[in-house]
Amino acid sequence: MLHTPSPPFAGQYDLAVIGAGVVGCAVARRFALAGAKVVVIEKGADILSGASKANSAILHTGFDAPPGSLELELVKAGRAEYLAIRESLGLPLVETGALVCAWNAAEADKLDAIAAQGRANGIEELRLLSGAEARATMPGLAERLVAAIEVAGEHIIDPWTAPLAYLTQAVALGAHLLRDAELIEGRFDGDWTLTTSTGTLRAAAVVNAAGLYGDVVDARLGFEPDFEIRPRKGQFVVLDKAAFAHLPRIVLPVPTEITKGVVVCPTAFGNVLIGPTAEEQEDRTRATVETGALEALLARGAEIVPALAGIPVTAVYAGLRPATESKAYRVIARADRRAITLGGIRSTGLSAALGLAGHALRLHEGFGLPATAPATPPTLCLPNLTETRERDWQRPDHGEIVCHCELVTRREIEATFDSPVPPGDFGGLRRRTRAGMGRCQGFYCNARLAEMTKGRLKEPLAVGEREE
Amino acid sequence: MNAPFESTSADVIVVGGGPAGVAAAMELRRRGIARVLLLDREPELGGATRHCAHSPFGMREFSRVYLGAAYGRRLAAEATRAGVELRTGYSVVRLESGGRLEVASPAGVGTLSARRILIATGARETPRSARLIPGDRPLGIVTTGTLQSYVAFHGLMPFRRPLIVGSELVSQSALFTCLTHGARPVAMIEPGPHALARAPFAWFPRLMGVPFHVGADITDIRGAARVEEVTIRLADGSPRTLACDGVLLTGRFTPESALFRQSTLGVDPGSAGPAIDQDGRSQDPLVFAGGNLLRAVETGGWAFREGRAVGRALAEDLARGSEANAPTPVDFETPIKLVVPSLLRAGANAAPAFPDFQLRMARAASGRLSLEIDGREVWARAGTWWPERRILVPIPPGATRAGSVRFRFREGQ
Ligand SMILES: Cc1cc2nc3c(=O)[nH]c(=O)nc-3n(C[C@H](O)[C@H](O)[C@H](O)COP(=O)(O)OP(=O)(O)OC[C@H]3O[C@@H](n4cnc5c(N)ncnc54)[C@H](O)[C@@H]3O)c2cc1C
Ligand SMILES: Cc1cc2nc3c(=O)[nH]c(=O)nc-3n(C[C@H](O)[C@H](O)[C@H](O)COP(=O)(O)OP(=O)(O)OC[C@H]3O[C@@H](n4cnc5c(N)ncnc54)[C@H](O)[C@@H]3O)c2cc1C
């Protein structure tokens, strides 16, 4: 079956969510659980086409969030809900903990204030450590470490399966996902008429979760935009799995005003990543990598954990943060138009998504719409892709191993195309299965994947048949 | 069909059914080793040669010229005839100590053990990511190995108008594959100052009507879903933007040494393959290695002969009992990139599997290359040395008992 957008629904939706990033997926789930008939409008060929496909995958505690902010409240709420539901969705949690590392006296001087802020933010599991104490918990750290704060609750998750699980639950409750559907215009006449690139639909309320296009979508809905997106690029390098043994914990730098800084971080898949950079740019679509920046990241990683020097690079990527002119989340509810904007979810959206969704539902309750009957959460278990649990290749009758580096089986690839939210493009297939994500980046499996996915992705891997 | 796991252990398990692994397994059988098990994760034997629907394989070993896939079938037939037990679809996922391997198969996961293990998992090309190439990351950026499997196994093409990067021997075969299967490369570039392959290479692409630029680098790749254009910087610093629908990365082979990298044995920083001694024995005396895994990359025929030699040394080792003497590392100076073997062990094998040190340079260099054993110069030669070309230096008799072995390089002498 060639990937086509789902047919439009004839009736009126209770809620239209614009954007299937992690925030939009979480919102769709929350409203579907509340009994609403939900539609998700996504302009990409697959979900997670924007900021959400390329982050650091840290489930933050909020220890360094601005005190008293909405961001802090929603990061904590989102994290708590993730921890509460993750078992029932089969989602992983790698309990790494983090060290905020001071590499010189000036940085060390800032640690007390950071710890005090963390405690004021309600994060009790903080410990100030000397350089030697910190190195005892992670011997790979460079000897010049001066001091550190241990934040036991900072953890690693699978950044792609989590939003997929949220949306899959929503779809199981009857939500519709429209892909390749860009919101062009919205008109409010007591209800919303939304014009997309693939058709028009009606909804009682809208949530703008358009990430990097939050301001644009607000304008298209007829609002005077309250903020302006200023994309901030973050580049990363991912190191071979051989690096994982040297990095049991997340290593955070002492943050500056502008950025949380370069993190050295294990991934749930058994790699190590170094990044992100923080680069302001105008362009909202291009997230390029640059040789010089990648080299600098590699050098930085080896400075922090010397054993990383010489470990080969598996992947490189870049993401754009939906930053605005202000640090704060730009959450706006317009009761008279039944619209909620979840904008400027800059650098903590993975952690806060479920919290943002709960917040949006509360704002929506103020719109005076008739109540719907809450639904029972459907149980589902998404395939595990992390090294911390059993993988499909470890079970018999998986057919064959298609991707050797990441040990992805034929059964897993076939199952994802039969799932409620099948991949729409190759990136989506990679994020759902890890096929082609390993150290060879497709040397061994790309051609086989081209054949297996023929006719199933919007943009095929092969351009056609060979000619003699 | 593959048999499921059996509890009995083999004498030798060979991992990798390319030319090196098959040659080693046959040699072991020929020397009377009873139970030799050959594992490969692919459905067929032949390794990297299977993709190559063009080149002359098998002249030396079978006195006949085969195309890649047929060569793989010949290897399978010969191995079966020699009494090697073949298991395809078996993927070794972990190399453990004590001659044990964790293996995944369609029937599930299990541990296999043997008196000795021989690893010959070959090499692959460096992908775009590890080359830190800038730009967007759309479809259409592949290596020669990938292109050849599109063509050879699936009758597909990943692009029609690629930019080709590289000038090794394999780059020539990449260009040839494009031209013979309906793709028209827009240009070929080599980041280094010279073509890496020997002389005729420089004019081959131009003869085919494909512009060839040395000293040129990619500065940007643009494309939403698929590559749309690539900007290169030419040797004189001027930029040029080429409309194209793919990037074909050729060469820059690297050993497929994940099993070693993820074990306690690690890899040699120069070769990126396992450190081995003159018999192909690794730091773990129960584990041997051979073929392109040692030092990417050589030809199929070379891998076959090397596999056979390591198989012979391993058979002698089995007959005599393991050689567990502490090895002496082989040191070297820049711009030498690698030396194989990088260990020497005092041993009783009459003739070592590797009669020569194999050296490569990281860059082109003129100067005097010399070998010192226990501080005494035993070999020297002056000249101009090219990157990625094999340099052979005989391992002097007695070197295996030396306390220090060192290659030196004096630039400009
Ligand atoms: C480098 C980096 C590192 C990060 N690290 C972390 C971390 O470790 N932990 C953490 O919690 N957070 C992290 N984040 C933040 C997190 O990734 C973001 O906050 C989050 O992804 C924002 O999600 P979103 O759903 O708001 O936006 P997006 O993911 O951008 O989703 C918006 C969606 O809307 C779609 N869309 C846009 N316009 C339209 C339209 N007109 N019609 C239809 N659809 C439209 C887009 O295609 C997109 O899919 C990081 C972010 C970056 C960039
Ligand atoms: C694109 C390309 C073009 C080439 N062109 C030529 C040419 O024109 N002429 C020429 O002489 N040579 C050519 N070669 C080189 C030639 O193919 C190699 O020299 C030869 O195949 C190397 O043999 P090998 O046995 O060392 O490794 P390989 O042939 O690479 O075999 C390694 C085997 O190990 C298996 N394996 C790897 N890891 C595992 C694991 N964990 N568990 C189980 N099995 C595993 C693989 O499936 C593979 O079958 C080319 C190579 C490539 C990639």
Side-chain angles (χ1 to χ4, degrees), chain A residues 443, chain B residues 15-21 40-42 46-49 52 54-55 57 90-92 120-123 144-145 148 170 253 259 291-292 298-300 303:
Chain A
F443 179 87
Chain B
V15 184
D40 200 290
R41 61 192 187 182
E42 296 288 346
T49 67
C52 309
H54 55 82
S55 77
F57 289 108
Y90 274 53
S91 185
V92 177
T121 46
T144 319
Q148 293 187 339
V170 70
F253 283 89
L259 290 174
N292 276 343
E298 288 283 358
T299 61

Side-chain angles (χ1 to χ4, degrees), chain A residues 241 286-287 289 291 312 314 318 394 397-398 404 439 442-444 446 451 459-467, chain B residues 41-42 105-106 125 129 132 134-137 143 146 150-151 155 157 160 180-181 220-222 226 256 261:
Chain A
K241 294 189 174 182
R286 292 199 78 202
V289 291
T291 311
T314 290
Q394 290 163 306
D397 305 321
H398 53 60
H404 296 299
R439 55 178 69 85
F443 179 87
Y444 296 111
N446 187 280
E451 160 138 314
E459 185 73 33
L461 289 176
V463 295
E465 310 286 305
R466 68 158 201 232
E467 295 157 17
Chain B
R41 61 192 187 182
E42 296 288 346
S105 80
E125 289 161 293
S129 54
L132 307 184
D136 294 332
R137 293 163 304 289
T143 56
T146 304
Y150 266 75
V151 171
M157 283 302 283
R160 293 280 177 227
T180 51
H181 295 93
D220 197 12
I221 297 175
R222 269 181 178 271
R226 184 173 295 285
E256 181 55 59
R261 215 179 260 287

